[in-house]
Amino acid sequence: MYEPNLDFVRRIEVYKKANPGLAVRIYLLVYNNSCEEAKYLAGVRREKESFEKLIRERGSMLNPILDQRRSGDTESLMKVVNSRIAGGRKDVTVEPAKVIVDMREFRSSLPSLLHASNLLVIPVTLTVGDYILTPDICVERKSIPDLVSSFNSGRLYTQCELMSAHYKQPILLIEWEEHKSFSLDTIAEVKSYAKASGKFPSKKPSATPSEPTLASSSIQSKLVLLTLTFPRLRIIWSSSPYATAEIFNDLKTLQPEPDPLKAIVVGAEEDPNAGAGVNTSAEELLRTLPGVTAKNVKHVMGKVKSVKELCELELKEVQQILGVEPGKACWDFIHKGERK
């Protein structure tokens, strides 16, 4: 072969293994220290690292205990205990289980899986959270890439702050992909895509700690700080969207159903006619301010009547609306002209 191709070489090796009687040999003709040689050796190195990673993951892989899935029409109905009966007598009413889902979440596969698990999916535009399971439980779902970007931009802090302010049980759901390793090493792989690298991997081993270890400890530290800041926040680790659907079913057991109308106005204006007669230009200007996001813009519009009124507020008043860090960033931008 004048141009070494690792894929073709492996195919020939498989063919030789399947036909032991054939005398098949491979000869590679390349210049020493050439680009072709470096490309071939880099492919062999990546292949070796992939096998080593597979061996490590199989050594620490857990065998999940798969419970029998809920089946039957009766399982799709949630039993809600109603104690508003004269004399304190409890009555059990049966109604379909409902999950309120933000419209932006339909880009993922989870809403379809919730529907397949006999849950009534109600699509609405939510200001706070991604999924409303009960009147008290609000869930913010984060995939691994979204979790990394949310930590870097500070968006997750604002989202947790809004959930803690409006719901008794805020939940942060960290969801892995179905066929990916259920470990924090996946976060290091996500970060590595954004880093500039040479054409070929380095041949010299680094003496510093491995990158997966550093990335895992960094995310763990940020999660610890997040839970210390919001004590009522609960974190759920889900290995796949299928596991998330099962978790949602378990969380809704014997719990009251959420109200879509109340979920829509949470975090937004309390007026049911919110959004009517809104100055779109002023709203677009408001969205460009630091600390104001698509999640809390309606909440800000419900607190101030105009952008001018927002600019005239004191620092503490802005922080009461947006939160401590986002409020300070917004106030500094308005009064100092610097985005921090």
Side-chain angles (χ1 to χ4, degrees):
M1 296 179 61
Y2 291 99
E3 184 176 352
N5 189 329
L6 186 59
D7 296 338
F8 187 70
V9 171
R10 295 294 179 253
R11 291 183 182 180
I12 295 178
E13 291 178 350
V14 172
Y15 178 76
K16 181 181 179 181
K17 186 68 176 179
N19 301 274
L22 298 179
V24 180
R25 294 185 179 181
I26 302 175
Y27 296 92
L28 302 178
L29 301 179
V30 294
Y31 286 101
N32 189 24
N33 297 327
S34 62
C35 179
E36 290 79 6
E37 181 187 12
K39 182 179 179 181
Y40 179 76
L41 294 178
V44 174
R45 193 178 302 112
R46 286 194 299 268
E47 183 184 58
K48 179 182 177 182
E49 292 174 354
S50 299
F51 276 107
E52 291 177 350
K53 180 181 177 182
L54 180 61
I55 293 172
R56 289 196 304 268
E57 289 185 357
R58 286 182 62 88
S60 59
M61 186 178 297
L62 300 177
N63 293 326
I65 301 176
L66 301 177
D67 297 332
Q68 187 175 3
R69 290 185 175 272
R70 298 178 174 90
S71 59
D73 296 337
T74 57
E75 295 292 342
S76 63
L77 301 178
M78 297 292 296
K79 294 182 179 180
V80 181
V81 177
N82 184 6
S83 59
R84 297 180 181 178
I85 307 297
R89 180 175 58 87
K90 291 186 177 181
D91 189 16
V92 178
T93 59
V94 179
E95 59 183 20
K98 296 183 293 185
V99 175
I100 302 175
V101 183
D102 188 20
M103 293 290 294
R104 293 175 286 269
E105 282 294 310
F106 280 85
R107 291 174 291 184
S108 65
S109 61
L110 183 56
S112 300
L113 295 177
L114 293 176
H115 176 72
S117 63
N118 298 324
L119 290 176
L120 179 59
V121 177
I122 302 177
V124 297
T125 301
L126 296 176
T127 305
V128 180
D130 295 328
Y131 297 86
I132 308 299
L133 304 184
T134 70
D136 297 332
I137 299 179
C138 176
V139 180
E140 181 72 30
R141 188 188 72 90
K142 294 292 181 184
S143 61
I144 296 302
D146 193 16
L147 178 67
V148 175
S149 62
S150 298
F151 268 128
N152 294 335
S153 64
R155 187 173 72 252
L156 184 58
Y157 181 92
T158 304
Q159 293 170 341
C160 293
E161 190 173 32
L162 288 174
M163 288 195 300
S164 300
H166 294 92
Y167 289 94
K168 295 181 180 179
Q169 188 61 72
I171 295 177
L172 173 62
L173 173 70
I174 303 176
E175 185 181 86
W176 271 256
E177 296 182 17
E178 183 180 4
H179 300 293
K180 292 294 184 67
S181 174
F182 188 31
S183 65
L184 291 177
D185 293 343
T186 314
I187 299 176
E189 297 178 1
V190 173
K191 287 187 173 183
S192 64
Y193 291 128
K195 294 183 178 180
S197 58
K199 187 174 182 180
F200 305 108
S202 176
K203 297 182 180 180
K204 297 181 179 180
S206 176
T208 58
S210 61
E211 185 177 354
T213 304
L214 294 176
S216 302
S217 60
S218 174
I219 291 296
Q220 291 177 9
S221 302
K222 292 178 181 178
L223 289 174
V224 169
L225 292 176
L226 195 66
T227 53
L228 290 176
T229 306
F230 305 102
R232 290 190 291 111
L233 179 67
R234 297 294 180 263
I235 299 178
I236 295 180
W237 308 82
S238 176
S239 59
S240 68
Y242 293 94
T244 303
E246 293 292 334
I247 292 172
F248 281 6
N249 276 284
D250 294 337
L251 290 175
K252 288 185 61 63
T253 303
L254 299 180
Q255 295 294 330
E257 297 300 327
D259 187 358
L261 297 179
K262 293 182 179 179
I264 293 174
V265 299
V266 167
E269 292 181 342
E270 299 298 332
D271 185 7
N273 296 323
V278 175
N279 188 342
T280 56
S281 300
E283 183 177 356
E284 292 178 0
L285 174 61
L286 189 63
R287 289 174 181 267
T288 60
L289 297 177
V292 180
T293 63
K295 292 283 188 180
N296 62 5
V297 63
K298 297 296 183 182
H299 174 68
V300 177
M301 294 171 62
K303 296 296 183 180
V304 295
K305 297 180 180 179
S306 63
V307 179
K308 179 181 178 181
E309 182 179 349
L310 177 64
C311 297
E312 294 174 351
L313 295 178
E314 298 294 335
L315 175 59
K316 292 183 179 180
E317 296 175 338
V318 178
Q319 289 179 335
Q320 290 177 356
I321 298 176
L322 294 176
V324 179
E325 293 297 332
K328 187 177 185 304
C330 181
W331 191 86
D332 289 342
F333 178 79
I334 293 174
H335 294 275
K336 298 181 181 180
E338 295 180 359
R339 183 185 293 269
K340 295 185 178 180

